[in-house]
Amino acid sequence: MNESSRLKTTLLGIPMKSPVMTSSGTFGFGEEFADFLNLDELGGVFVKGTTLLPRRGNDGVRIAETPAGMLNCIGLENPGVDVFLNETLPRIAKYNMNIFVNISGGSAEEYGILAEKLDVDGVAGIELNVSCPNVKDGGIIFGTDPKAAASVVREAKKHTSKPVILKLSPNVTDITEIAKACEDAGADALSLINTLMGMAIDIKTWKPVLGNITGGLSGPCVKPVALRLVWQTAQAVNIPIIGQGGISTAADAIEFFLAGASAVSVGTANFVDPYATTKIIQGLDDYLEKNNLSNISELVGKLKMD
Amino acid sequence: MALPKIAVDASVIINEQVSEDVFRLELLCPEIAAYSKPGMFVQVRVDKGMLLLRRPFGIADVKDKSITVFYRVLGEGTKALTSVKSGDLLNVLGPLGNGFKTDAKRPLLVGGGMGLAPLLYLARFYQGKADILMGGRNKQEIFWEEYFRPYANNIFITTDDGSVGTKGFTTSLLPQLLTDTKYDLVAVCGPGIMMQLISDIAAKYDVPCQVSLEKRMACGLGACLSCAVDTKDGQRKKVCKDGPVFWAEEVQI
Ligand SMILES: Cc1cc2nc3c(=O)[nH]c(=O)nc-3n(C[C@H](O)[C@H](O)[C@H](O)COP(=O)(O)OP(=O)(O)OC[C@H]3O[C@@H](n4cnc5c(N)ncnc54)[C@H](O)[C@@H]3O)c2cc1C
Ligand SMILES: Cc1cc2nc3c(=O)[nH]c(=O)nc-3n(C[C@H](O)[C@H](O)[C@H](O)COP(=O)(O)O)c2cc1C
Ligand code: FES
């Protein structure tokens, strides 16, 4: 277990052993990875996208491997917020994780209702998913329009005492515009990026590989794009950024800190190596030690432009 | 209680071609071998080029410290696996999922193609008690017989072209077998359509039937929901965690 003070972070008023988190939809409810790491070493676990009512998700093939990445169109399959609150949350309480609940709604009001329901002990914060490319209702339509995104933030803030994080979509022309609108609306932090919309075609059958035709691209191949967006967003806002997209190693994570992220989150890499986050935490600590830095915060936004 | 899972660098004991497009891969990984049960699987990392996701393979045999898988060369990942040599390291995640029923009195194991791989370990578990019904397109695809021979009671063979055993499909032979012998379990693994038909026949003869499903997987741990399967009652389950072995009446095959 890593108890180094070099990685201690306080984000959104929450003390964390490290600024390394895990991304929604890639880490289940955390418990699935309990055999591999001490979950409380993580800064937080963003649990699977949760909706008001249970969702079955999409039909047909849900993932496809692509060069150094993958596409997914899970479609927010989840048991619904009530099952999460009554069954899942009590069950995972024993892991002492900072649990962030990623929520999706069909209207701004629905985000508000979800935020209110989740304003309970055991939930560290709420992440507003306005950027899921795989569902028709809700999701991405709120993430591509600054006004709509801001209204979702306001509605959530009104109904919860928990920190509210807005998850930004990369599938927009100017991410900073939406980032600023959400900051103005009261978002406590931003997380980015969600997946990039993509597709794959089977050349034997001439059909789309994915059941949903299109899906969200993630993994190492998206890292340069994610890094650029984090850097641009960091220039535009003053609230903390949780950087993600293709992070597999400590070196990847360091790039995101330098670009301006206050914390990083690991997604697809957990599939490749269930110990990925532990290795990143160790690697970050080694890097700080080698560079005589006493805390990870000394890296944040320190990109040199000369 | 879920068994402990682990991801380890396993040393390759042997990676040998056993038929035109099938390889047998034996891996030294005592931690995984210790908890493996018939029907469970592993996720093998193929660390080559731009490949990312692990590849799932059924556990086909377990010795003290090693596990064996059989893989068919299909796409990039399995192609890359063929060049792995004895002594190389492969990262293996497992053991994953839930296995077959192992306390039947008179089991019949039905396999087609690569579906025979997990059944091999199941046959060995039953120590000569299990009958095997295997199907393939032709004689080459029935190379499995020599692997099953030491562990099986009766072996029944069908081939599409009649080059060995009975001409036809496993489904053509099954009704006769279920009439002649009072089996208390049919365990089937193979192409979806075959499992569907076999389980329909088993149901008709009132013999409990287990199927082993395949879906594309990312995590293998129940975390990503890539591998969802429809259940008969309109819900969804995860093949990697709730399966890959299910009772036939539970799932939409
Ligand atoms: C639980 C389980 C057990 C399996 N056991 C065996 C076994 O014992 N022997 C064997 O030869 N094969 C087995 N398979 C199928 C095997 O995983 C695929 O053939 C293999 O992943 C193909 O990889 P590729 O890179 O060669 O093919 P590609 O087509 O290049 O693979 C692209 C992607 O699709 C996935 N994929 C392709 N075909 C399948 C498939 N049929 N099922 C699941 N994922 C697929 C790959 O894992 C990869 O993510 C099993 C699958 C599952 C789910
Ligand atoms: C299988 C899968 C499921 C996902 N589900 C969600 C989700 O429910 N909600 C969400 O906000 N993001 C979801 N994401 C996006 C990730 O949280 C993350 O933002 C993205 O994958 C980029 O990070 P990565 O490249 O490290 O995976 C999902 C990603 C994957 C691969
Ligand atoms: S493969 Fe991730 S849930 Fe089954």
Side-chain angles (χ1 to χ4, degrees), chain A residues 62-180:
Chain A
R62 288 179 165 189
I63 54 163
E65 190 180 67
T66 55
M70 66 177 285
L71 292 163
N72 89 80
C73 57
I74 310 297
L76 293 181
E77 176 177 338
N78 80 97
V81 68
D82 292 331
V83 171
F84 174 78
L85 285 168
N86 298 330
E87 295 174 24
T88 315
L89 194 55
R91 193 175 69 226
I92 61 178
K94 64 176 177 209
Y95 297 113
N96 295 318
M97 318 174 262
N98 292 317
I99 297 167
F100 293 90
V101 186
N102 177 275
I103 61 173
S104 249
S107 63
E109 293 70 44
E110 221 173 285
Y111 283 91
I113 299 169
L114 281 161
E116 186 164 349
K117 279 182 177 262
L118 289 161
D119 195 358
V120 296
D121 281 353
V123 171
I126 287 163
E127 182 181 51
L128 308 174
N129 179 8
V130 290
S131 44
C132 180
N134 299 320
V135 295
K136 285 184 196 76
D137 52 323
I140 201 155
I141 58 165
F142 296 109
T144 48
D145 172 31
K147 279 204 196 76
S151 73
V152 169
V153 171
R154 265 193 301 272
E155 204 57 34
K157 282 297 287 180
K158 220 190 297 172
H159 290 94
T160 181
S161 60
K162 307 282 179 190
V164 169
I165 303 159
L166 185 107
K167 188 160 182 183
L168 291 168
S169 170
N171 305 304
V172 295
T173 320
D174 182 2
I175 201 166
T176 61
E177 214 190 324
I178 299 172
K180 279 188 278 195

